[in-house]
Amino acid sequence: MDIKLDPSRDDLPLMANTSHILVKHYVLDLDVDFESQIIEGTIVLFFESGNKFKKQSSSTEETYPSESNKACKFRTPEPCHIPVTNTRTVSSKMGYNDFVICGKGEKDTSGKDGNHDNQEQASGISSSKYCCDAGNHGSEDFLLVLDCCDLSVLKVEEVDVAAVPGIEKFTRSPKLRNQIVCELVALPADRWREQLDYYARCSQAPGCGELLFDIDTWSLQIRKTGVQTATDFPHAIRIQYTTKPQGRSVTWTSDQSGRPCVYTMGSPINNRALFPCQEPPVAMSTWQATVRAAASFVVLMSGENSAKPTQLREGCSSWHYYVTMPMPASTFTIAVGSWTETKPEICSSDDLATEKSFSPFEADFRYVGVCGHMEYPCRFQNASATTQEIIPHRVFAPVCLKGACQETLLPLIPPCLSAAHSVLGTHPFSRLDVLIVPANFPSLGMASPHLVFLSQSTLTGMSQFCGTRLCHEIAHAWFGLAIGARDWTEEWLSEGFATHLEDVFWAKAQQLAPHEAREQRELRACLRWRRLQDEVRNSPEDMQVLRPNKEKTGHVSDSGSSVIKHGLNPDKVFMQVHYLKGYFLLRFLARRLGDDTYFSFLRKFVHKFHGQLILSQDFLQMLLESIPEERRLELSVENIFQDWLESSGIPQEVTCHRPGVRRGH
């Protein structure tokens, strides 16, 4: 039976029933409206059935109870009243940059009346109650549960992918919608451009019937009458929705130049207030998004392509991004504002970007063999990518900070990227944008695929502060993004590694002599120890545990739903225990094994687990298996933490519980 949510606790629920059905791809089509402070549009979800195909006999067995009532109230269309042509779909004229075969042009906005505050009027959907108790009509229908919060859902419909022109050339079953989607998501990695194009075409297909849905505090629940299994549930659905100005995933504010902007922090509730999705990390998916905004704004997003604006009409531009590496939906990030790109004043062959080159700990750290992750166009199998020390990068900021970025940030990116490559090898992502976010950003930085947010405070003073923080976020490309935690309570797998590696990267970026690098590391370790000591003395003990779920770490309910321990506790965002305890553990390992052995192992670990989700035991088991047998006893799981406490000078009362982010945070 599934875990029940206790409203008095501070755990964050992950509601999606990922054991039954998984989102493989999202297609977002959004408009950003700064006057009303909402993002509105549609999202099309493409599914594949999960590993479990049992019927739901009761919605409460697969989800947490609704705060409003115990019965499920589904909205359903009045039969025959709403023609399919009234659905809000994207015109086939809409362009998809870089890969789409179809032409470019303006999106059709006919039928958009702006009355989205009245859900029933805007969507043509009326309310109808369907009791979910056993024995009542509809109780045997399969229920799709998506993570959703602070959203107004207007319509949910099945997408008629079989109506896409030319689809018969792509599939063996052109009349079977679910089979079309199954074949689409299973296309091999070398056909990724074709796959993205078909995703785009299918997302523009007309609707073929509205679906029943209900929305409560933490979830969107969808079903189709008479469909009793995940296998038979529509594998392509379109959701029309709007965000809310107060939505916790989206921050509307002004930049340092006083111009309006919006960005997604993704914390503490991740992206469920930006779009309905499957939040559990196991739901790794790809996405593509078209975002329209006034022509004066720049749209930055987690995407592999450096998007350029396409003018749709006077005063309005469209931006399109995509990713081909499957990742949790929580890593999706967007920022829209009057950003200015900062470029070097003088570009020459003597520039720092081309001058500095660092030797890795070993002459060659490329490994031959098939990757262990699901199939996608992997850079670790791309010969040119493995030797690319500095990936293409851009810097964006409000216009008033352009000078500070040119002076402080821009010169640091090439040496920091090169230093990271010298330590860990292949950059998991093909490019990097760095954005100086507004002053209300509550952190020093945040890493997402292809996009890093940095606080304005990193630009103050000397380059030391900016450089170390930049190295920290670059490290997340490997630990937190390319390799994610299967259980988000194990934040040390992301933050502990990034904290430890920021020192290593920054020392190499500065080209410090060995004794200088050692002195710098010892000073930073001393400062961190004092910070950890203060935190341990002044915070609840259960908030200090690296694996707060303990023996239940990584466990989920039968449906795939779970909770993030302390995920809604307001004190959690101010704590750094998972950063600092993870850092001291890894520092101990590096000191005990020696840099050459430790970083050689770390590169092998990255190569084995990139593109995958892990628990702490995956790291510790591979570590113990990788060292000589005579040294395993001293590094056994039973002794490792006691030795670590002693070598780090940390007294016994600072307990580091045996370790097993949110990904990318």
Side-chain angles (χ1 to χ4, degrees), residues 9 58 64 245 269 377 441 472 567 597:
R9 304 186 61 168
S58 171
Y64 299 98
I269 65 168
F441 184 70
H472 182 100
T597 300

Side-chain angles (χ1 to χ4, degrees), residues 461-633:
M462 297 184 295
S463 61
Q464 179 88 10
F465 186 30
C466 186
T468 54
R469 194 63 207 184
L470 180 62
C471 286
H472 182 100
E473 304 307 336
I474 289 174
H476 276 311
W478 287 270
F479 292 96
L481 294 174
I483 300 175
R486 202 172 83 210
D487 186 323
W488 275 337
T489 62
E490 293 201 297
E491 293 175 271
W492 83 275
L493 289 170
S494 173
E495 300 299 354
F497 276 94
T499 303
H500 182 244
L501 289 169
E502 75 178 59
D503 291 355
V504 179
F505 292 174
W506 181 235
K508 294 185 74 66
Q510 297 173 96
Q511 294 187 316
L512 296 180
H515 73 281
E516 293 176 314
R518 183 170 57 254
E519 290 174 357
Q520 188 178 92
R521 288 197 302 269
E522 293 302 318
L523 175 60
R524 293 174 67 82
C526 181
L527 294 174
R528 286 172 177 143
W529 154 236
R530 291 182 179 274
R531 190 184 314 157
L532 177 59
Q533 188 178 43
D534 289 340
E535 192 157 302
V536 167
R537 288 172 177 171
N538 296 286
S539 60
E541 183 177 350
D542 64 342
M543 296 281 285
Q544 302 168 18
V545 185
L546 290 189
R547 300 179 74 226
N549 283 335
K550 300 179 182 177
E551 69 277 1
K552 294 183 179 180
T553 297
H555 291 190
V556 297
S557 66
D558 289 343
S559 73
S561 63
S562 61
V563 297
I564 302 174
K565 192 74 171 176
H566 307 304
L568 294 175
N569 190 320
D571 295 334
K572 182 69 159 42
V573 297
F574 300 105
M575 296 188 65
Q576 294 191 343
V577 162
H578 44 286
Y579 291 75
L580 299 175
K581 286 187 175 181
Y583 157 79
F584 279 113
L585 170 60
L586 297 170
R587 182 174 182 265
F588 158 75
L589 293 175
R591 287 159 60 98
R592 183 59 62 96
L593 296 176
D595 280 352
D596 288 347
T597 300
Y598 173 73
F599 286 104
S600 176
F601 159 75
L602 209 57
R603 287 189 293 274
K604 293 177 182 177
F605 179 80
V606 165
H607 191 271
K608 177 177 180 179
F609 285 105
H610 70 272
Q612 301 177 68
L613 303 172
I614 64 169
L615 297 175
S616 293
Q617 47 264 45
D618 296 313
F619 172 74
L620 295 175
Q621 180 177 348
M622 183 174 174
L623 174 70
L624 295 175
E625 291 175 350
S626 299
I627 60 177
E629 184 174 356
E630 61 271 14
R631 303 197 61 182
R632 291 180 189 173
L633 181 60

Side-chain angles (χ1 to χ4, degrees), residues 77 79 103 194 277 352 358 456 460 501 513 572 632:
E194 180 184 8
C277 58
L352 190 61
F358 309 98
Q456 175 186 345
T460 60
L501 289 169
K572 182 69 159 42
R632 291 180 189 173

Side-chain angles (χ1 to χ4, degrees), residues 19 35 86 156-157 162 166 174 197 226 228 236 278 317 328 420 432 463 473 499 503 542 600 633:
S19 294
E35 290 188 7
N86 281 355
V156 182
E157 62 181 348
D197 180 45
Q228 299 181 352
Q278 290 183 331
S317 295
L432 176 66
S463 61
E473 304 307 336
T499 303
D503 291 355
D542 64 342
S600 176
L633 181 60

Side-chain angles (χ1 to χ4, degrees), residues 275-331:
F275 57 89
C277 58
Q278 290 183 331
E279 286 279 25
V282 69
M284 299 175 71
S285 59
T286 53
W287 59 75
Q288 60 198 101
T290 296
V291 180
R292 287 170 297 280
S296 59
F297 292 102
V298 173
V299 177
L300 302 177
M301 209 183 83
S302 305
E304 295 172 18
N305 57 315
S306 298
K308 302 296 182 183
T310 299
Q311 184 173 348
L312 299 178
R313 57 186 178 274
E314 185 176 357
C316 181
S317 295
S318 174
W319 302 71
H320 184 76
Y321 289 91
Y322 63 85
V323 299
T324 60
M325 175 182 176
M327 286 172 287
S330 61
T331 64

Side-chain angles (χ1 to χ4, degrees), residues 361-407:
F361 289 97
E362 292 180 348
D364 189 353
F365 42 76
R366 285 173 288 171
Y367 302 93
V368 179
V370 178
C371 296
H373 54 69
M374 65 183 75
E375 189 177 14
Y376 67 87
C378 179
R379 287 174 53 82
F380 285 78
Q381 295 296 319
N382 184 319
S384 61
T386 59
T387 58
Q388 187 180 27
E389 295 183 16
I390 303 171
I391 57 176
H393 53 276
R394 304 182 297 181
V395 173
F396 292 87
V399 64
C400 65
L401 296 177
K402 183 176 180 180
C405 287
Q406 274 185 328
E407 180 180 352

